[in-house]
Amino acid sequence: MRVSFNWLNEMVQTGLSPEELAEKLTMAGIEVEKIERPGERLNDVVVGKVLSVGRHPNADKLTVCRVDSGHGELQIICGAPNVRTGAKVAVGLVGAVLSDGAALRKLRKARIRGVDSEGMICSEMELGLGEDADGIIILPDEYEVGRSLASALELDDAVLVIDVTPNRPDCLSIRGVAREVAAILGTEVKPLS
């Protein structure tokens, strides 16, 4: 069973790190097999805003974009048909690890058909968030430029992977795990609102 650490903390204040809580649960007989961090792959990916889109001088299907990354203005070469001025987008900064559909690769500065590119405006597939590679992700306008994409998408969480044994069906729900955590820590589970 997978348990969101953030969600669990909404039900019962632990005051512990995910690793500390995992250790306490395991010592109490609720084995935590591992801790996953879904937003970890989105390190060095931020919310950006496309400031301008122009034609690439040496390629018909590419554009030269100026993007505010919140960490400075970047020039990024983009081949997506849906890139437009004013759009909030997912920007992979130099050093980000992205998918090319088959493998992961580290993003670096590149020269594409004679023009420098200082990052990447990303699709779902490149971020590992889906299979759509036909265009870039257009984010909601209320997202703050420069904010970590993992934080904006609420993926900056730890997920406890728990091996629930047959004699503990009470731990087959997040609420049941919260009750167990409260019992271990001597605290209370917050009432449902």
Side-chain angles (χ1 to χ4, degrees), residues 15 20 45 50 53 66 103 107 118 136 143 146 149 168 170 177-178 188-189:
E20 292 168 332
V45 179
V50 179
V53 177
R66 299 297 303 172
L107 193 59
E118 304 168 305
I136 57 171
Y143 282 16
L149 185 66
R168 292 305 308 264
D170 57 314
V177 174
E188 300 275 329
V189 177

Side-chain angles (χ1 to χ4, degrees), residues 44-49 67-69 74 76 89-93 96 107 118-122 139 149:
D44 299 317
V45 179
V46 298
V47 175
K49 183 175 182 175
V67 178
D68 178 3
S69 70
L74 303 174
I76 299 177
V89 294
V91 177
L93 303 174
L107 193 59
E118 304 168 305
M120 178 183 269
I121 303 174
C122 303
L139 300 171
L149 185 66

Side-chain angles (χ1 to χ4, degrees), residues 18 21-23 25-26 30-35 159-163:
L21 180 60
E23 176 69 20
L25 281 168
T26 299
I30 308 295
E31 183 185 354
V32 178
E33 292 179 345
K34 63 182 174 177
I35 300 171
V159 177
L160 306 177
V161 180
I162 297 175
D163 180 22

Side-chain angles (χ1 to χ4, degrees), residues 59-70:
D60 292 337
K61 294 185 178 182
L62 296 177
T63 56
V64 179
C65 302
R66 299 297 303 172
V67 178
D68 178 3
S69 70

